[in-house]
Amino acid sequence: MNSEEEFYDAETGLESDDSLDISFKDPLGFDSSDQVTDGSAAVWRRRKSLPAEMITRNNFSVTSILKKCIGMELSKIAMPVVFNEPLSFLQRLSEYMEHTHLIRRACGLPDSIDRMQVVAAFAVSAVASQWERTGKPFNPLLGETFELTREEDGYRLISEQVSHHPPISAFHAESLKQEFAFHGSIYPKLKFWGKSVEAEPKGTMTLELLKHKEAYTWTNPMCCVHNVIIGKLWIEQYGTVEIVNHSTGEKCVLNFRPCGMFGKELHKVEGYIQDSSKKKRRVIYGKWTECMYSVEPKVYEAHKKAGADAKKLKQEHSCEDENAVQETVTVIPGSALLWRISPRPAHSAQMYNFTNFAVTLNELEPGAERRPAPTDSRQRPDIRAMESGDIDSASAEKERLEEKQRAARRERFKDEEEWSTSCEMRFELEHQRGCWDLTGQCGRERPAGDGLRRWFEPGTNSHTGAEDWLYKGGYFDRNFADCPDIY
């Protein structure tokens, strides 16, 4: 199978491949399955903007808050709500699904190397929405959930905050046609280093292509927000991401390059795919903010050896739309386009730099049949107040919810329904070693459940052998009678 048959060709026919033309170009409309009728056959469409523009941060200084926090983990520090964006971290996690069309494309490819290429593109696309997103998502409350069902894109997702200290968010997404399952648990660690905030997204992503009986696992790169004190905020992703196909032994190694002194490496991603015998089969390159390409290793090496002048090579554009971002990636002749970022709305800068996809995440759909659990992030009053531009109400509600959570935790301690401090310390230690000991060794087993962790349970990832949080099922039966009161 050659690349011209299965992927966009980098030099010709970019607009001719309909199979990849299902990205979020028009995320705002519905097909017939998403119509909501009230007797007049009215059709509800997803919103195109937030209820109010972004709250200005000009009158607030982060310096006084952060100057005592150098080297500390920011998840344990209360930040003013003005530095947040009106989404919970659980909703932010769901943005992995913005480019689900890549998973569906991988499901339809007969060759495992070709599937790995598209899975690699999906892994890169999962962090693309972070570009210029300098607001901090709200920390989820213990037991908070977020449901996302997109019938037009053929999947549904449920996520839950399963631990507060340390903060752990678990998610499970599945195809409505039983094509794939995508799940994982994230333990974000944020630290302040004087001029920057570093985020380490601990946890493993697992993608299962059910038809091919394949499972891929990887971890996300490091993320750093620069100039948090003085200057313009900017984000970089860096580190090595290793994607493993546990069924075939094939591997993709992606290097998210750090910016460097002169910024020449900013946003660049380069790597390769090797088969089970460790022979390089494809080279992957591009930028996580723009696009990803694939090329034969011999062609890549020849291009690199020749030292071709970038100015003489053809430059591609991400879209003809006037609001689209122009690509700055030098395309090697013979490359195949794997993924290209979707244009953001023209007024994105006034909406916390949200994508079209992110704008819709806090929207409650009409109709009782689409009403999520009472623990859903869309029910949070502080987030709803912030997206409506009411900073005072958002701050007051955030403080109220945090105090309510602290009071509930004190009650659980009284009833011995929470881990002891020694258990949590050991969890942290084992997690740093790459092994999540979820049973604890402090003289008692971890509670099976206290009514707050309802949809996920500790278990073992069958592909990596590591401890993980696994979806128990049952959420979409919509029996929410026993959901805790966390708001």
Side-chain angles (χ1 to χ4, degrees):
M1 178 185 306
N2 59 49
S3 61
E4 286 132 25
E5 291 175 347
E6 291 299 334
F7 303 101
Y8 279 146
D9 187 271
E11 297 184 272
T12 61
L14 283 174
E15 304 301 327
S16 62
D17 191 332
D18 294 334
S19 62
L20 204 57
D21 197 36
I22 52 177
S23 62
F24 231 89
K25 289 184 177 180
D26 184 15
L28 311 170
F30 276 1
D31 62 15
S32 58
S33 64
D34 296 296
Q35 294 181 0
V36 179
T37 61
D38 58 3
S40 59
V43 178
W44 177 74
R45 299 175 69 83
R46 300 198 193 280
R47 67 185 184 183
K48 299 181 180 180
S49 62
L50 298 179
E53 288 189 358
M54 174 180 170
I55 298 171
T56 180
R57 298 168 181 159
N58 294 337
N59 299 325
F60 296 86
S61 173
V62 73
T63 307
S64 59
I65 302 165
L66 294 180
K67 64 182 180 181
K68 298 180 181 180
C69 305
I70 295 178
M72 295 180 63
E73 187 179 342
L74 295 187
S75 63
K76 299 179 180 179
I77 300 168
M79 299 287 290
V81 72
V82 71
F83 296 109
N84 284 39
E85 63 177 21
L87 288 178
S88 167
F89 183 72
L90 294 180
Q91 294 168 304
R92 190 77 174 259
L93 270 181
S94 71
E95 294 185 56
Y96 290 157
M97 304 303 292
E98 181 170 359
H99 300 278
T100 309
H101 64 276
L102 292 172
I103 301 180
R104 295 205 308 271
R105 181 169 178 78
C107 290
L109 295 172
D111 183 77
S112 61
I113 295 295
D114 289 340
R115 290 194 293 273
M116 176 65 87
Q117 291 185 89
V118 182
V119 171
F122 174 74
V124 174
S125 76
V127 301
S129 68
Q130 296 182 30
W131 176 47
E132 297 187 334
R133 294 274 291 280
T134 54
K136 177 182 177 293
F138 281 73
N139 293 332
L141 304 173
L142 182 62
E144 183 177 330
T145 61
F146 180 66
E147 169 194 345
L148 184 67
T149 299
R150 291 293 165 92
E151 294 175 0
E152 67 271 30
D153 290 312
Y155 70 87
R156 61 188 184 184
L157 171 146
I158 175 62
S159 56
E160 182 178 21
Q161 189 70 4
V162 295
S163 175
H164 185 60
H165 290 302
I168 304 175
S169 306
F171 74 93
H172 177 89
E174 59 190 24
S175 166
L176 297 178
K177 297 181 179 179
Q178 291 75 52
E179 295 176 312
F180 65 85
F182 178 49
H183 53 92
S185 44
I186 301 294
Y187 170 20
K189 297 194 68 175
L190 282 71
K191 288 188 177 181
F192 175 58
W193 297 112
K195 296 181 180 180
S196 62
V197 173
E198 182 183 71
E200 182 180 6
K202 289 177 173 289
T204 301
M205 306 289 101
T206 301
L207 173 63
E208 300 176 46
L209 304 185
L210 303 180
K211 172 185 174 182
H212 299 286
K213 298 181 180 179
E214 289 180 336
Y216 302 79
T217 61
W218 68 90
T219 57
N220 288 319
M222 297 283 288
C223 179
C224 188
V225 181
H226 294 272
N227 296 338
V228 294
I229 303 297
I230 299 176
K232 182 179 180 180
L233 293 171
W234 61 279
I235 294 176
E236 74 170 326
Q237 305 269 356
Y238 56 89
T240 301
V241 172
E242 187 175 282
I243 306 171
V244 177
N245 184 333
H246 293 270
S247 303
T248 65
E250 294 159 352
K251 182 185 299 185
C252 178
V253 179
L254 296 173
N255 294 309
F256 286 71
R257 299 194 177 279
C259 175
M261 185 174 295
F262 301 105
K264 293 183 179 180
E265 301 294 304
L266 182 62
H267 302 153
K268 282 189 177 181
V269 183
E270 292 184 347
Y272 58 88
I273 295 173
Q274 67 180 33
D275 59 24
S276 57
S277 63
K278 297 186 178 182
K279 177 183 178 181
K280 287 186 179 181
R281 300 289 300 275
R282 300 289 292 185
V283 171
I284 309 291
Y285 68 95
K287 291 188 176 182
W288 62 269
T289 56
E290 299 178 18
C291 56
M292 292 300 296
Y293 287 89
S294 167
V295 71
E296 292 286 347
K298 291 182 179 179
V299 175
Y300 178 82
E301 292 299 328
H303 168 76
K304 187 176 180 180
K305 185 176 181 180
D309 186 351
K311 294 182 179 179
K312 295 181 180 180
L313 294 178
K314 181 178 180 180
Q315 295 289 326
E316 294 292 326
H317 297 271
S318 61
C319 185
E320 295 181 358
D321 189 286
E322 61 179 357
N323 299 316
V325 178
Q326 179 174 331
E327 285 184 11
T328 60
V329 175
T330 299
V331 182
I332 301 172
S335 298
L337 176 64
L338 300 176
W339 163 78
R340 175 180 284 149
I341 197 169
S342 301
R344 294 190 178 184
H347 50 301
S348 177
Q350 287 76 50
M351 297 192 303
Y352 304 87
N353 288 310
F354 280 4
T355 63
N356 283 314
F357 186 84
V359 165
T360 68
L361 293 178
N362 205 46
E363 185 175 29
L364 281 167
E365 301 181 15
E369 72 280 0
R370 292 186 179 272
R371 184 68 59 179
T375 51
D376 194 273
S377 302
R378 281 164 289 205
Q379 313 278 12
R380 282 187 61 159
D382 50 355
I383 294 179
R384 302 217 68 84
M386 185 177 188
E387 76 162 16
S388 297
D390 189 344
I391 185 65
D392 293 334
S393 293
S395 298
E397 287 293 340
K398 178 174 180 286
E399 184 176 348
R400 180 184 68 82
L401 292 175
E402 289 172 349
E403 178 53 38
K404 184 174 183 177
Q405 181 173 240
R406 285 190 288 268
R409 192 164 187 258
R410 287 193 294 268
E411 287 299 315
R412 290 196 301 275
F413 268 120
K414 289 180 182 178
D415 297 334
E416 295 185 351
E417 289 181 337
E418 189 72 64
W419 266 345
S420 69
T421 301
S422 60
C423 275
E424 290 191 352
M425 291 177 64
R426 191 174 192 281
F427 179 98
E428 174 75 14
L429 179 61
E430 293 295 332
H431 182 76
Q432 290 175 359
R433 295 174 181 168
C435 175
W436 293 10
D437 185 350
L438 300 176
T439 58
Q441 299 294 328
C442 63
R444 62 182 175 133
E445 292 185 355
R446 176 181 185 152
D450 56 10
L452 291 179
R453 309 175 186 92
R454 180 168 182 189
W455 309 111
F456 290 82
E457 61 185 357
T460 301
N461 187 308
S462 60
H463 309 294
T464 65
E467 296 296 330
D468 204 346
W469 286 86
L470 307 178
Y471 177 52
K472 294 191 293 185
Y475 177 90
F476 295 100
D477 294 336
R478 317 204 75 78
N479 179 13
F480 304 140
D482 296 331
C483 285
D485 175 18
I486 60 175
Y487 300 145

